[in-house]
Amino acid sequence: MPPASAAASAIIGALFSAPPRMVKTQLLGLLRAALASVAPEQRDLEIVLERPRQAAHGDYATNLALQLAHPLRANPREIARHLVRELGSSPLLAKAEVAGAGFINLFLSPDATRQVVSQVLEAGRDFGRNNLGAGRKVQVEFVSANPTGPLHVGHGRGAALGASLAQVLAFTGHAVTREYYINDAGRQMDILALSTWLRYLELHDVWVPFPSNAYQGGYVIDMAHQIRDAHGPRYVHPAPAVLAGVPDAATAPEAHLDALIANAKDLLGEDYRYIHSHALTEQLADCRDDLVEFGVHFDVWFSERSLFDTALVQRCLERLERAGQLYTQDGAQWFRSTAFGDEKDRVVQRENGEYTYFASDIAYHLNKYERGFDRIIDVWGADHHGYIPRVKCAVRALGLDDTKLEVALVQFAVLYRDGQKTSMSTRAGEYVTLRELRNEVGNDAARFFYVLRKSDQHLDFDLDLAKSESTDNPVYYVQYGHARVCSVLAQWGGDARTLAGTDLAALSGERELGLCARLADFADVVEAAARDYSPHLVAHYLKDLAAEFHSFYNAERILVDDPALRQARLALVAGVRQVLRNGLRLLGVSAPESM
RNA sequence: CUGCCCGUAGCUCAAUUGGAUAGAGCACCAGCCUUCUAAGCUGGGGGUUACAGGUUCGAUCCCUGUCGGGCAGGCCA
């Protein structure tokens, strides 16, 4: 991990300072100056500048006067009038007026509205980028599924959200580390190893009843074949030995499984580790391939087992011990989480000496803090929400700042086909895998649909809609907008890069200026998406931008005879294409040149 | 029983985090192809934001209660 460097931040900062400032930023500067003049003691007040819902209320509006009314003990409309007077005249503004209870409505000059097109074309792929994060180190940990089988559609949503969120954060000046936590130390991995071995024994006509709570999937049989092909009968043991002293499966299924695992370890000795590691390696590779095909990449694959190998779990518990936050009861070791506001104390080491998942999780979070992240984002399934308080308690007990740790919850996705829910039972091993979903609807539709909803909302995933090549399908709708611009530019035949310096004065129609305003909004959308961990805002924005473009395209011809108007419109649609591209890239969706 | 999340048009969802007259897409109705991709566009109807109070200049958003739905509450992960 390279050290967080001020130098790197400075370089990044310099990159961003090059393009001219956005109109909104310039307006904020004007308002700040007016504020300092009207109410010097309130000069540091946060100024909110927003897009009014209605066109009659201008391009931007601010409630600044309303905010000042209380501290100044004055009539908000009166304050607003003072502020407007101080704003004076600016080439940016066509008009500034006081409205309603004391809003200030700002109407941009056409020049001010149009200049965004030049900014888009000059900034190119960097348009929308900002330095909100100022180079701060952020870790996004997501997916982190147990490598005990293929990823399913629930993991897919976490993958899509985490990847998009990481992109958005990187785009807003954060130094992002994408991380996958591998649960390679627990009982679930032992169950997978056992399952593989039992299938392997079956291939050698050693028949041990396959437990219903072991892993049923066909991939387990595949691994058994691989092991047999590579090593023949080396790991075969007779069924009576495998079943020696094993309690009844029907009455004690979990104890049955644990006893089988214990026998496997005894009989196989060192060879058990081979089977265990073969299964882990295979499943992890499958998982990684799946994610790579999905366009989801990780910087760090963090092994749970390494927390034990480096004795971090032990050191972590010793640290809690010294702080007086551990005690022993009923043979187990407990963390006094109630002292930090949790509902009940939690076990960290079981009576049988095994550490709980919680213990390694505390250690993992300690490790995250020790790596110096300014912010740590855990993306979890919403069913883990009850787990948040105890982890935060543990972090506090270690003397760390728990406000650095944020958990983004992802609700389940429910698949619909022909208007019917598709079953997704994890038990029988017949759940829908991410790979099946990707094969059916394609990576682009999957990525887009997954982030179309706020992540903490349930997602109804309409498979038929995702597959349809029609206007109803938002992915196709947005991508088609991009392809359409490409088609127009191809028809024109010129070099799109030469459009950056185009004179835009001919853009004067309502639709044209409306599109310009929409392009300018991209910067705000990106910022909001980063601030609220809400990539869905980008998806919605792209739908809106595409709709506005299609509407414009339908109403006006771009390749008109008048050279000045033609060039200006070409520059405008080239700007639309660039912003569509940038937005789609944040979501991991391709921007096709033709469809 | 307790805690967390949610409840917005017939359906799926937004709403710049407390702003002005709550918006899109489906579906429904009526239109638009001699034109750069009709894989598109235009117009229309549709709402007591679950319900009842409260906080203030202003509430879908914050607080309280009720009703309804989801998820959690292991020495499981």
Side-chain angles (χ1 to χ4, degrees):
Chain A
M1 199 58 46
S5 68
S9 306
I11 291 166
I12 293 165
L15 286 174
F16 300 140
S17 63
R21 292 153 73 217
M22 297 289 294
V23 165
K24 187 181 177 187
T25 311
Q26 298 177 55
L27 287 178
L28 283 169
L30 292 178
L31 283 168
R32 179 70 63 196
L35 171 63
S37 166
V38 170
E41 66 282 3
Q42 298 291 329
R43 61 169 64 234
D44 294 326
L45 193 67
E46 189 189 350
I47 300 176
V48 180
L49 197 55
E50 52 191 16
R51 288 276 191 198
R53 293 198 227 263
Q54 296 173 55
H57 294 154
D59 294 295
Y60 289 99
T62 178
N63 64 349
L64 184 53
L66 292 161
Q67 288 183 276
L68 288 170
H70 190 67
L72 297 187
R73 297 169 189 275
N75 181 329
R77 284 191 65 97
E78 190 60 33
I79 299 168
R81 273 191 288 274
H82 282 273
L83 287 168
V84 166
R85 198 175 308 132
E86 287 302 320
L87 274 179
S89 65
S90 155
L92 290 178
L93 291 174
K95 185 170 57 166
E97 63 184 24
V98 179
F103 291 99
I104 298 172
N105 293 339
L106 302 171
F107 295 79
L108 294 181
S109 66
D111 265 344
T113 302
R114 287 188 288 251
Q115 58 177 262
V116 67
V117 172
S118 313
Q119 292 169 345
V120 171
L121 295 179
E122 275 160 30
R125 59 187 290 127
D126 287 326
F127 181 76
R129 195 183 276 277
N130 66 50
N131 200 22
L132 192 71
R136 281 191 292 273
K137 290 180 65 179
V138 179
Q139 182 204 45
V140 183
E141 182 222 320
F142 59 112
V143 188
S144 301
N146 283 341
T148 52
L151 297 171
H152 57 66
V153 292
H155 299 127
R157 191 173 185 195
L161 175 85
S164 297
L165 176 59
Q167 282 296 99
V168 167
L169 290 172
F171 203 56
T172 51
H174 298 85
V176 180
T177 299
R178 299 156 177 86
E179 186 152 323
Y180 187 118
Y181 180 59
I182 310 163
N183 289 109
D184 52 6
R187 178 168 176 263
Q188 295 305 317
M189 274 310 303
D190 282 324
I191 296 174
L192 179 69
L194 171 71
S195 304
T196 306
W197 186 50
L198 292 179
R199 291 304 194 197
Y200 166 88
L201 292 177
E202 288 175 7
L203 294 178
H204 292 87
D205 280 321
V206 175
W207 298 95
V208 174
F210 197 81
S212 62
N213 48 354
Y215 288 99
Q216 307 284 334
Y219 59 92
V220 178
I221 297 171
D222 294 343
M223 290 193 294
H225 275 109
Q226 290 165 0
I227 293 172
R228 185 191 61 179
D229 293 350
H231 298 95
R234 170 172 177 167
Y235 309 113
V236 173
H237 289 266
V242 177
L243 285 163
V246 171
D248 181 50
T251 55
E254 298 306 319
H256 175 79
L257 216 49
D258 286 333
L260 283 174
I261 291 168
N263 284 353
K265 288 179 177 174
D266 283 347
L267 292 169
L268 290 165
E270 282 297 301
D271 285 345
Y272 178 82
R273 282 168 59 178
Y274 163 74
I275 292 177
H276 186 282
S277 93
H278 179 85
L280 171 65
T281 307
E282 278 299 308
Q283 293 312 309
L284 209 51
D286 176 73
C287 178
R288 193 182 54 238
D289 291 348
D290 201 4
L291 290 166
V292 165
E293 288 169 24
F294 198 33
V296 176
H297 302 267
F298 289 91
D299 304 303
V300 178
W301 293 76
F302 194 98
S303 157
E304 178 186 11
R305 206 162 38 179
S306 74
L307 294 169
F308 293 99
D309 295 345
T310 60
L312 185 64
V313 176
Q314 290 86 333
R315 280 189 283 132
C316 187
L317 293 181
E318 282 162 17
R319 189 160 155 181
L320 288 174
E321 177 90 70
R322 279 198 304 278
Q325 302 306 341
L326 293 186
Y327 63 91
T328 304
Q329 185 182 310
D330 303 330
Q333 197 165 32
W334 298 70
F335 164 51
R336 201 183 305 278
S337 55
T338 49
F340 299 87
D342 200 1
E343 293 173 349
K344 54 169 293 197
D345 293 340
R346 310 290 176 176
V347 170
V348 288
Q349 189 173 20
R350 284 183 289 211
E351 197 177 1
N352 66 9
E354 299 268 315
Y355 291 103
T356 61
Y357 176 88
F358 182 46
S360 46
D361 225 25
I362 299 173
Y364 181 39
H365 281 85
L366 174 58
N367 170 277
K368 290 185 181 201
Y369 275 85
E370 286 179 342
R371 278 187 275 165
F373 293 112
D374 298 299
R375 214 175 338 152
I376 296 163
I377 303 172
D378 292 352
V379 178
W380 288 352
D383 54 334
H384 287 65
H385 73 262
Y387 206 75
I388 299 172
R390 78 187 70 167
V391 172
K392 289 217 164 205
C393 287
V395 166
R396 277 204 301 280
L398 290 167
L400 304 168
D401 175 9
D402 70 334
T403 61
K404 282 185 179 177
L405 170 65
E406 298 187 59
V407 180
L409 294 178
V410 183
Q411 284 285 359
F412 296 121
V414 182
L415 300 182
Y416 283 82
R417 195 195 305 281
D418 302 324
Q420 298 288 318
K421 264 188 199 180
T422 69
S423 60
M424 216 201 81
S425 114
T426 322
R427 282 173 209 292
E430 54 183 47
Y431 51 79
V432 181
T433 65
L434 173 61
R435 195 171 264 118
E436 285 164 346
L437 176 74
R438 294 195 296 103
N439 288 338
E440 181 166 350
V441 308
N443 287 324
D444 284 344
R447 287 290 298 261
F448 198 88
F449 271 62
Y450 269 136
V451 298
L452 202 47
R453 304 287 172 245
K454 250 187 315 207
S455 59
D456 59 358
Q457 293 276 1
H458 289 276
L459 170 68
D460 288 342
F461 196 120
D462 186 337
L463 294 169
D464 303 306
L465 182 60
K467 274 186 295 189
S468 86
E469 304 191 351
S470 77
T471 167
D472 301 350
N473 183 343
V475 193
Y476 275 79
Y477 188 69
V478 174
Q479 290 182 315
Y480 178 48
H482 182 269
R484 234 179 182 178
V485 177
C486 291
S487 174
V488 173
L489 292 175
Q491 185 98 3
W492 167 57
D495 183 351
R497 285 170 299 185
T498 63
L499 292 168
T502 303
D503 179 1
L504 302 165
L507 298 178
S508 58
E510 200 176 319
R511 281 198 169 83
E512 291 162 338
L513 294 176
L515 261 181
C516 290
R518 182 76 68 177
L519 292 180
D521 285 343
F522 182 62
D524 292 333
V525 170
V526 168
E527 192 175 322
R531 202 182 44 229
D532 301 336
Y533 305 162
S534 294
H536 78 277
L537 294 173
V538 175
H540 283 276
Y541 169 82
L542 291 174
K543 278 171 63 182
D544 292 341
L545 175 59
E548 203 155 342
F549 165 70
H550 286 307
S551 177
F552 169 70
Y553 177 93
N554 200 255
E556 307 283 359
R557 201 177 161 76
I558 294 156
L559 297 173
V560 293
D561 292 337
D562 174 6
L565 185 59
R566 184 177 62 227
Q567 289 302 112
R569 284 186 173 166
L570 283 166
L572 174 61
V573 298
V576 169
R577 178 175 73 164
Q578 185 68 58
V579 172
L580 287 175
R581 242 180 225 176
N582 293 4
L584 287 171
R585 185 157 43 89
L586 290 177
L587 302 184
V589 178
S590 71
E593 307 262 317
S594 68
M595 294 174 72

